[in-house]
Amino acid sequence: MTSTHGGHHGTGHGQPTGTGERRNGFGIAALVLGIVGVLLFWTAFGGIVLGLLAVVFGVLGFRRGRRGVATNGTMAVIGAVLGALTLVVSSVLLALGVAVINSDEFKSYQDCIEHANSQSERQDCARDFDREVDER
């Protein structure tokens, strides 16, 4: 029996079975998610969710490549690496954002903005906040 996809029948020893079609979906998904994650790393969804999915699909795709079921193991690894980098950078940015929001300087800024009656006073609040952060 021949395949129209150019594959071959497996022997049961790491070779694909059935029609011999390669299953490259995980590797492709990992690369696409990794690239989109890199582009959206500054968002929680883009960096953390897409990065994590890229890592998971990349590992699954790499494992398929090692078993001979897929031909794009390298693509899966690249997607996983991009996902991991995205995940790390996005997590660091999220931690920094939380630290700023929980800081005394930010609380003072919020209080100042709440009591400001004009645009000029709000601008003064922003300048004071910048000065306090720079002094840290």
Side-chain angles (χ1 to χ4, degrees):
M1 181 148 91
T2 60
S3 170
T4 59
H5 293 88
H8 60 280
H9 295 287
T11 62
H13 300 286
Q15 296 294 324
T17 58
T19 63
E21 291 183 47
R22 302 298 179 167
R23 296 173 53 198
N24 291 327
F26 284 149
I28 293 168
L31 186 60
V32 169
L33 290 169
I35 291 170
V36 174
V38 165
L39 295 174
L40 299 175
F41 75 93
W42 50 274
T43 66
F45 176 77
I48 295 174
V49 175
L50 296 180
L52 185 60
L53 287 173
V55 169
V56 169
F57 286 134
V59 169
L60 293 173
F62 176 74
R63 291 178 68 190
R64 277 187 176 176
R66 297 241 342 195
R67 289 192 322 261
V69 178
T71 58
N72 63 349
T74 302
M75 182 185 294
V77 169
I78 293 169
V81 168
L82 288 174
L85 290 173
T86 300
L87 187 60
V88 168
V89 171
S90 186
S91 296
V92 168
L93 287 176
L94 182 63
L96 288 173
V98 169
V100 167
I101 289 172
N102 289 330
S103 70
D104 291 335
E105 291 85 3
F106 188 74
K107 289 175 184 163
S108 295
Y109 170 73
Q110 283 182 310
D111 187 50
C112 182
I113 290 292
E114 287 176 13
H115 294 93
N117 295 320
S118 67
Q119 181 64 27
S120 174
E121 289 178 357
R122 285 187 283 278
Q123 288 174 343
D124 289 341
C125 293
R127 274 193 292 276
D128 291 343
F129 175 71
D130 288 341
R131 187 174 26 258
E132 288 177 16
V133 169
D134 287 343
E135 290 173 2
R136 260 185 136 195

PDB file of all heavy atoms in Angstrom, residues 37-38 41 44 46-53 55 80-93:
ATOM      1  N   GLY A  37       3.638  35.501  21.008  1.00  0.00           N
ATOM      2  CA  GLY A  37       3.974  35.830  22.391  1.00  0.00           C
ATOM      3  C   GLY A  37       5.086  36.867  22.481  1.00  0.00           C
ATOM      4  O   GLY A  37       5.031  37.785  23.294  1.00  0.00           O
ATOM      5  N   VAL A  38       6.102  36.730  21.625  1.00  0.00           N
ATOM      6  CA  VAL A  38       7.197  37.710  21.602  1.00  0.00           C
ATOM      7  C   VAL A  38       6.655  39.091  21.228  1.00  0.00           C
ATOM      8  O   VAL A  38       7.055  40.099  21.801  1.00  0.00           O
ATOM      9  CB  VAL A  38       8.309  37.269  20.623  1.00  0.00           C
ATOM     10  CG1 VAL A  38       9.260  38.395  20.306  1.00  0.00           C
ATOM     11  CG2 VAL A  38       9.070  36.077  21.197  1.00  0.00           C
ATOM     12  N   PHE A  41       4.562  40.351  24.391  1.00  0.00           N
ATOM     13  CA  PHE A  41       5.142  40.019  25.698  1.00  0.00           C
ATOM     14  C   PHE A  41       4.740  40.995  26.790  1.00  0.00           C
ATOM     15  O   PHE A  41       4.707  40.654  27.958  1.00  0.00           O
ATOM     16  CB  PHE A  41       6.667  39.948  25.612  1.00  0.00           C
ATOM     17  CG  PHE A  41       7.327  41.299  25.532  1.00  0.00           C
ATOM     18  CD1 PHE A  41       7.751  41.940  26.676  1.00  0.00           C
ATOM     19  CD2 PHE A  41       7.514  41.921  24.318  1.00  0.00           C
ATOM     20  CE1 PHE A  41       8.357  43.182  26.616  1.00  0.00           C
ATOM     21  CE2 PHE A  41       8.113  43.157  24.234  1.00  0.00           C
ATOM     22  CZ  PHE A  41       8.535  43.786  25.391  1.00  0.00           C
ATOM     23  N   ALA A  44      -0.245  40.509  29.783  1.00  0.00           N
ATOM     24  CA  ALA A  44      -0.298  39.268  30.560  1.00  0.00           C
ATOM     25  C   ALA A  44      -0.733  38.113  29.672  1.00  0.00           C
ATOM     26  O   ALA A  44      -0.157  37.027  29.726  1.00  0.00           O
ATOM     27  CB  ALA A  44      -1.243  39.419  31.749  1.00  0.00           C
ATOM     28  N   GLY A  46      -0.541  37.856  26.304  1.00  0.00           N
ATOM     29  CA  GLY A  46       0.460  37.578  25.278  1.00  0.00           C
ATOM     30  C   GLY A  46       1.710  36.932  25.821  1.00  0.00           C
ATOM     31  O   GLY A  46       2.227  35.979  25.244  1.00  0.00           O
ATOM     32  N   GLY A  47       2.181  37.448  26.921  1.00  0.00           N
ATOM     33  CA  GLY A  47       3.438  36.935  27.449  1.00  0.00           C
ATOM     34  C   GLY A  47       3.296  35.665  28.251  1.00  0.00           C
ATOM     35  O   GLY A  47       4.028  34.700  28.035  1.00  0.00           O
ATOM     36  N   ILE A  48       2.364  35.645  29.157  1.00  0.00           N
ATOM     37  CA  ILE A  48       2.273  34.505  30.070  1.00  0.00           C
ATOM     38  C   ILE A  48       1.478  33.356  29.447  1.00  0.00           C
ATOM     39  O   ILE A  48       1.963  32.225  29.368  1.00  0.00           O
ATOM     40  CB  ILE A  48       1.690  34.947  31.421  1.00  0.00           C
ATOM     41  CG1 ILE A  48       2.675  35.910  32.085  1.00  0.00           C
ATOM     42  CG2 ILE A  48       1.406  33.744  32.313  1.00  0.00           C
ATOM     43  CD1 ILE A  48       2.198  36.542  33.356  1.00  0.00           C
ATOM     44  N   VAL A  49       0.288  33.632  28.968  1.00  0.00           N
ATOM     45  CA  VAL A  49      -0.560  32.561  28.430  1.00  0.00           C
ATOM     46  C   VAL A  49       0.029  31.993  27.146  1.00  0.00           C
ATOM     47  O   VAL A  49       0.224  30.778  27.024  1.00  0.00           O
ATOM     48  CB  VAL A  49      -2.010  33.055  28.224  1.00  0.00           C
ATOM     49  CG1 VAL A  49      -2.850  31.999  27.551  1.00  0.00           C
ATOM     50  CG2 VAL A  49      -2.626  33.459  29.556  1.00  0.00           C
ATOM     51  N   LEU A  50       0.330  32.858  26.180  1.00  0.00           N
ATOM     52  CA  LEU A  50       0.880  32.367  24.916  1.00  0.00           C
ATOM     53  C   LEU A  50       2.261  31.769  25.100  1.00  0.00           C
ATOM     54  O   LEU A  50       2.603  30.773  24.453  1.00  0.00           O
ATOM     55  CB  LEU A  50       0.905  33.482  23.869  1.00  0.00           C
ATOM     56  CG  LEU A  50      -0.456  34.035  23.443  1.00  0.00           C
ATOM     57  CD1 LEU A  50      -0.285  35.136  22.403  1.00  0.00           C
ATOM     58  CD2 LEU A  50      -1.356  32.939  22.925  1.00  0.00           C
ATOM     59  N   GLY A  51       3.061  32.359  25.985  1.00  0.00           N
ATOM     60  CA  GLY A  51       4.387  31.800  26.262  1.00  0.00           C
ATOM     61  C   GLY A  51       4.292  30.400  26.845  1.00  0.00           C
ATOM     62  O   GLY A  51       5.012  29.485  26.427  1.00  0.00           O
ATOM     63  N   LEU A  52       3.397  30.222  27.792  1.00  0.00           N
ATOM     64  CA  LEU A  52       3.217  28.914  28.407  1.00  0.00           C
ATOM     65  C   LEU A  52       2.706  27.900  27.384  1.00  0.00           C
ATOM     66  O   LEU A  52       3.203  26.762  27.321  1.00  0.00           O
ATOM     67  CB  LEU A  52       2.251  29.015  29.590  1.00  0.00           C
ATOM     68  CG  LEU A  52       2.048  27.749  30.402  1.00  0.00           C
ATOM     69  CD1 LEU A  52       3.360  27.272  30.998  1.00  0.00           C
ATOM     70  CD2 LEU A  52       1.026  27.996  31.500  1.00  0.00           C
ATOM     71  N   LEU A  53       1.741  28.293  26.571  1.00  0.00           N
ATOM     72  CA  LEU A  53       1.235  27.381  25.536  1.00  0.00           C
ATOM     73  C   LEU A  53       2.325  27.025  24.526  1.00  0.00           C
ATOM     74  O   LEU A  53       2.412  25.869  24.086  1.00  0.00           O
ATOM     75  CB  LEU A  53       0.036  28.016  24.818  1.00  0.00           C
ATOM     76  CG  LEU A  53      -1.263  28.076  25.617  1.00  0.00           C
ATOM     77  CD1 LEU A  53      -2.308  28.886  24.857  1.00  0.00           C
ATOM     78  CD2 LEU A  53      -1.779  26.685  25.920  1.00  0.00           C
ATOM     79  N   VAL A  55       5.512  26.814  25.092  1.00  0.00           N
ATOM     80  CA  VAL A  55       6.411  25.862  25.737  1.00  0.00           C
ATOM     81  C   VAL A  55       5.793  24.468  25.730  1.00  0.00           C
ATOM     82  O   VAL A  55       6.446  23.476  25.377  1.00  0.00           O
ATOM     83  CB  VAL A  55       6.754  26.303  27.182  1.00  0.00           C
ATOM     84  CG1 VAL A  55       7.458  25.200  27.943  1.00  0.00           C
ATOM     85  CG2 VAL A  55       7.609  27.571  27.161  1.00  0.00           C
ATOM     86  N   ALA A  80       9.320  26.621  21.536  1.00  0.00           N
ATOM     87  CA  ALA A  80       9.389  26.470  22.992  1.00  0.00           C
ATOM     88  C   ALA A  80      10.356  27.484  23.602  1.00  0.00           C
ATOM     89  O   ALA A  80      10.071  28.068  24.657  1.00  0.00           O
ATOM     90  CB  ALA A  80       9.803  25.048  23.363  1.00  0.00           C
ATOM     91  N   VAL A  81      11.489  27.705  22.961  1.00  0.00           N
ATOM     92  CA  VAL A  81      12.469  28.677  23.471  1.00  0.00           C
ATOM     93  C   VAL A  81      11.887  30.090  23.432  1.00  0.00           C
ATOM     94  O   VAL A  81      12.006  30.849  24.405  1.00  0.00           O
ATOM     95  CB  VAL A  81      13.791  28.593  22.678  1.00  0.00           C
ATOM     96  CG1 VAL A  81      14.706  29.768  22.988  1.00  0.00           C
ATOM     97  CG2 VAL A  81      14.493  27.271  22.971  1.00  0.00           C
ATOM     98  N   LEU A  82      11.248  30.446  22.316  1.00  0.00           N
ATOM     99  CA  LEU A  82      10.608  31.767  22.235  1.00  0.00           C
ATOM    100  C   LEU A  82       9.535  31.902  23.318  1.00  0.00           C
ATOM    101  O   LEU A  82       9.419  32.952  23.964  1.00  0.00           O
ATOM    102  CB  LEU A  82       9.983  31.976  20.859  1.00  0.00           C
ATOM    103  CG  LEU A  82      10.935  32.196  19.693  1.00  0.00           C
ATOM    104  CD1 LEU A  82      10.166  32.252  18.382  1.00  0.00           C
ATOM    105  CD2 LEU A  82      11.752  33.453  19.893  1.00  0.00           C
ATOM    106  N   GLY A  83       8.753  30.847  23.511  1.00  0.00           N
ATOM    107  CA  GLY A  83       7.724  30.864  24.549  1.00  0.00           C
ATOM    108  C   GLY A  83       8.307  31.030  25.930  1.00  0.00           C
ATOM    109  O   GLY A  83       7.786  31.783  26.756  1.00  0.00           O
ATOM    110  N   ALA A  84       9.410  30.321  26.208  1.00  0.00           N
ATOM    111  CA  ALA A  84      10.043  30.417  27.524  1.00  0.00           C
ATOM    112  C   ALA A  84      10.593  31.823  27.762  1.00  0.00           C
ATOM    113  O   ALA A  84      10.424  32.391  28.850  1.00  0.00           O
ATOM    114  CB  ALA A  84      11.152  29.377  27.646  1.00  0.00           C
ATOM    115  N   LEU A  85      11.249  32.394  26.755  1.00  0.00           N
ATOM    116  CA  LEU A  85      11.774  33.759  26.891  1.00  0.00           C
ATOM    117  C   LEU A  85      10.636  34.750  27.115  1.00  0.00           C
ATOM    118  O   LEU A  85      10.727  35.637  27.967  1.00  0.00           O
ATOM    119  CB  LEU A  85      12.574  34.145  25.650  1.00  0.00           C
ATOM    120  CG  LEU A  85      13.899  33.430  25.455  1.00  0.00           C
ATOM    121  CD1 LEU A  85      14.502  33.778  24.092  1.00  0.00           C
ATOM    122  CD2 LEU A  85      14.862  33.762  26.569  1.00  0.00           C
ATOM    123  N   THR A  86       9.574  34.590  26.357  1.00  0.00           N
ATOM    124  CA  THR A  86       8.405  35.455  26.499  1.00  0.00           C
ATOM    125  C   THR A  86       7.811  35.329  27.895  1.00  0.00           C
ATOM    126  O   THR A  86       7.458  36.320  28.533  1.00  0.00           O
ATOM    127  CB  THR A  86       7.360  35.091  25.436  1.00  0.00           C
ATOM    128  OG1 THR A  86       7.945  35.273  24.149  1.00  0.00           O
ATOM    129  CG2 THR A  86       6.123  35.936  25.550  1.00  0.00           C
ATOM    130  N   LEU A  87       7.706  34.102  28.361  1.00  0.00           N
ATOM    131  CA  LEU A  87       7.153  33.835  29.690  1.00  0.00           C
ATOM    132  C   LEU A  87       7.991  34.496  30.779  1.00  0.00           C
ATOM    133  O   LEU A  87       7.453  35.141  31.684  1.00  0.00           O
ATOM    134  CB  LEU A  87       7.075  32.320  29.910  1.00  0.00           C
ATOM    135  CG  LEU A  87       6.398  31.801  31.144  1.00  0.00           C
ATOM    136  CD1 LEU A  87       4.952  32.237  31.215  1.00  0.00           C
ATOM    137  CD2 LEU A  87       6.469  30.278  31.157  1.00  0.00           C
ATOM    138  N   VAL A  88       9.302  34.393  30.677  1.00  0.00           N
ATOM    139  CA  VAL A  88      10.194  34.984  31.681  1.00  0.00           C
ATOM    140  C   VAL A  88      10.100  36.510  31.660  1.00  0.00           C
ATOM    141  O   VAL A  88       9.918  37.145  32.709  1.00  0.00           O
ATOM    142  CB  VAL A  88      11.656  34.518  31.458  1.00  0.00           C
ATOM    143  CG1 VAL A  88      12.630  35.327  32.284  1.00  0.00           C
ATOM    144  CG2 VAL A  88      11.789  33.037  31.776  1.00  0.00           C
ATOM    145  N   VAL A  89      10.215  37.105  30.478  1.00  0.00           N
ATOM    146  CA  VAL A  89      10.199  38.572  30.384  1.00  0.00           C
ATOM    147  C   VAL A  89       8.850  39.120  30.844  1.00  0.00           C
ATOM    148  O   VAL A  89       8.788  40.093  31.599  1.00  0.00           O
ATOM    149  CB  VAL A  89      10.526  39.034  28.943  1.00  0.00           C
ATOM    150  CG1 VAL A  89      10.296  40.522  28.773  1.00  0.00           C
ATOM    151  CG2 VAL A  89      11.966  38.676  28.599  1.00  0.00           C
ATOM    152  N   SER A  90       7.779  38.491  30.427  1.00  0.00           N
ATOM    153  CA  SER A  90       6.449  38.946  30.823  1.00  0.00           C
ATOM    154  C   SER A  90       6.242  38.806  32.328  1.00  0.00           C
ATOM    155  O   SER A  90       5.642  39.680  32.959  1.00  0.00           O
ATOM    156  CB  SER A  90       5.388  38.160  30.058  1.00  0.00           C
ATOM    157  OG  SER A  90       4.118  38.671  30.319  1.00  0.00           O
ATOM    158  N   SER A  91       6.736  37.741  32.902  1.00  0.00           N
ATOM    159  CA  SER A  91       6.613  37.546  34.354  1.00  0.00           C
ATOM    160  C   SER A  91       7.386  38.610  35.123  1.00  0.00           C
ATOM    161  O   SER A  91       6.903  39.126  36.139  1.00  0.00           O
ATOM    162  CB  SER A  91       7.111  36.153  34.746  1.00  0.00           C
ATOM    163  OG  SER A  91       6.304  35.161  34.166  1.00  0.00           O
ATOM    164  N   VAL A  92       8.574  38.949  34.645  1.00  0.00           N
ATOM    165  CA  VAL A  92       9.370  40.006  35.288  1.00  0.00           C
ATOM    166  C   VAL A  92       8.641  41.344  35.190  1.00  0.00           C
ATOM    167  O   VAL A  92       8.562  42.090  36.179  1.00  0.00           O
ATOM    168  CB  VAL A  92      10.781  40.084  34.667  1.00  0.00           C
ATOM    169  CG1 VAL A  92      11.517  41.339  35.108  1.00  0.00           C
ATOM    170  CG2 VAL A  92      11.590  38.839  35.018  1.00  0.00           C
ATOM    171  N   LEU A  93       8.094  41.649  34.015  1.00  0.00           N
ATOM    172  CA  LEU A  93       7.351  42.901  33.858  1.00  0.00           C
ATOM    173  C   LEU A  93       6.121  42.945  34.758  1.00  0.00           C
ATOM    174  O   LEU A  93       5.824  43.983  35.355  1.00  0.00           O
ATOM    175  CB  LEU A  93       6.929  43.096  32.402  1.00  0.00           C
ATOM    176  CG  LEU A  93       8.027  43.459  31.422  1.00  0.00           C
ATOM    177  CD1 LEU A  93       7.468  43.523  30.001  1.00  0.00           C
ATOM    178  CD2 LEU A  93       8.671  44.777  31.794  1.00  0.00           C
TER     179      LEU A  93
END
